[in-house]
Amino acid sequence: MTNNFQILLFARFMAGLFGTAYGVIATTTIASLSSNKNVGRNIALLISGASAALMIGIPLCRILIEYFSWQMIYLVLVILMGGGLLAYTILLPESKTNTVKIDLNKEWKLLTTPKVWSIILASFIVFVGYGAFYTYLTPYLIELFPQIEPYTSGILVFVGACALIGNSIGGYICDRIGFARALLYGTELQILVGFLIFITQNMVVNILYVFLWMITGWFIGLQLNIGINVVSQKRSNFIVSLSGSIIQFSQAVGSSISAIVINQFGMSMIIFISMITSLLCVIFCLLQTIQKQAAIITSENI
């Protein structure tokens, strides 16, 4: 409720800090409480809920701010979060992550296993491309099609819907073919969609391809989120939080690369960053598959 900028800035930092911590704990808790058969669906539901909240929350806040101060809106949010915390305390069963003490030596050994670091590396590669294009999505659309500027708010709502769709489809497919194969197919599709975005000049078709790119982006992100939980045995908050930090850093890297590309080659070229990172991820996934098959053949011959 403060009017002091420094205190407000500190409060915003703390909200972001604990909000990120909540995301990690929520994901590992859901993974821990889920069986391998439905872990994809359950994590997808968690992330889809967050996407749905963004779809509803942003337009709702635009309406409420006309009638209430931002301090009053924040007060209501604090009350709602307090109610959620109380509900978690009463209703949420104890998960495996709550019964295991953090052992940094074990966590470090787990981090250096090929399965874990390969997921983290794949996350870094993929989210460089995602951050490169998504950060400049609105300026990209406006520069190519200036006539859509009055409708950007509505377009962003549809972008949120694409996140919801991508998560839902991703969870369904992951539970049936596994996160590794789903990740490979998703990145292959994103390369194709990126190319279609680049060559398409029609406004409506281009926007539809952008929506499809968003769907595949969240589809891929879900596979990486599920993957890091599965390979860390669904109980390591440290590994999952490290992966989340890498993702945030990689998006910042992607945004910086985009700024350079825009300055040198123009806004329309930033989609190539996503295409290149998706191609790198496809190559990486194929190499991992070849190594696994080679290891199986070697073990059978011994």
Side-chain angles (χ1 to χ4, degrees):
M1 306 298 287
T2 182
N3 290 317
N4 183 282
F5 176 75
Q6 286 76 16
I7 296 176
L8 181 63
L9 188 63
F10 176 74
R12 182 66 185 86
F13 169 77
M14 296 302 293
L17 177 65
F18 288 109
T20 303
Y22 164 79
V24 171
I25 295 171
T27 303
T28 52
T29 299
I30 290 294
S32 178
L33 293 173
S34 304
S35 66
N36 289 333
K37 292 182 179 180
N38 59 16
V39 63
R41 181 193 64 184
N42 291 342
I43 292 180
L45 285 173
L46 171 68
I47 300 176
S48 296
S51 301
L54 285 174
M55 287 178 59
I56 298 170
I58 293 175
L60 182 61
C61 279
R62 288 179 180 269
I63 297 172
L64 293 178
I65 200 67
E66 297 292 332
Y67 303 96
F68 304 99
S69 66
W70 67 266
Q71 292 95 333
M72 181 60 66
I73 295 173
Y74 263 78
L75 179 60
V76 173
L77 290 175
V78 169
I79 294 172
L80 290 175
M81 286 186 285
L85 177 62
L86 181 62
Y88 294 155
T89 303
I90 297 173
L91 301 175
L92 193 65
E94 187 172 299
S95 68
K96 296 176 184 177
T97 55
N98 294 330
T99 60
V100 179
K101 294 182 179 179
I102 295 179
D103 186 328
L104 292 180
N105 289 328
K106 289 183 179 180
E107 296 284 357
W108 176 252
K109 289 180 181 179
L110 184 62
L111 177 62
T112 55
T113 58
K115 289 183 179 180
V116 172
W117 68 255
S118 63
I119 292 292
I120 291 178
L121 181 58
S123 297
F124 177 80
I125 294 171
V126 165
F127 279 95
V128 166
Y130 180 85
F133 189 64
Y134 179 70
T135 302
Y136 292 93
L137 179 59
T138 302
Y140 165 84
L141 291 173
I142 292 175
E143 178 165 314
L144 266 66
F145 312 107
Q147 62 270 36
I148 71 167
E149 187 169 3
Y151 310 103
T152 51
S153 295
I155 290 173
L156 292 177
V157 171
F158 279 104
V159 167
C162 292
L164 194 65
I165 294 169
N167 272 299
S168 301
I169 297 174
Y172 177 84
I173 293 179
C174 176
D175 287 338
R176 280 151 183 78
I177 66 174
F179 73 87
R181 289 173 63 189
L183 175 63
L184 177 61
Y185 298 154
T187 47
E188 289 174 339
L189 178 60
Q190 197 169 49
I191 296 171
L192 174 61
V193 174
F195 178 72
L196 293 173
I197 289 173
F198 178 73
I199 65 173
T200 303
Q201 301 299 319
N202 181 274
M203 179 184 71
V204 175
V205 176
N206 192 280
I207 292 174
L208 290 175
Y209 282 142
V210 168
F211 289 160
L212 182 56
W213 182 89
M214 284 297 304
I215 291 173
T216 57
W218 282 79
F219 177 96
I220 293 167
L222 179 68
Q223 309 314 317
L224 293 166
N225 207 328
I226 294 169
I228 197 63
N229 277 278
V230 170
V231 299
S232 62
Q233 303 164 9
K234 299 191 293 186
R235 61 175 61 191
S236 176
N237 286 331
F238 172 76
I239 295 296
V240 175
S241 63
L242 179 62
S243 176
S245 298
I246 293 294
I247 288 172
Q248 295 294 326
F249 174 70
S250 63
Q251 290 189 70
V253 171
S255 300
S256 300
I257 295 173
S258 270
I260 297 172
V261 170
I262 292 169
N263 186 53
Q264 296 293 325
F265 305 104
M267 183 72 73
S268 63
M269 301 300 290
I270 60 175
I271 190 61
F272 275 96
I273 304 172
S274 171
M275 293 169 61
I276 292 170
T277 55
S278 295
L279 178 61
L280 290 174
C281 187
V282 168
I283 295 171
F284 184 72
C285 290
L286 291 175
L287 289 175
Q288 292 290 310
T289 302
I290 292 171
Q291 288 179 351
K292 288 179 183 178
Q293 292 176 345
I296 293 172
I297 294 173
T298 302
S299 62
E300 289 176 349
N301 292 334
I302 294 177

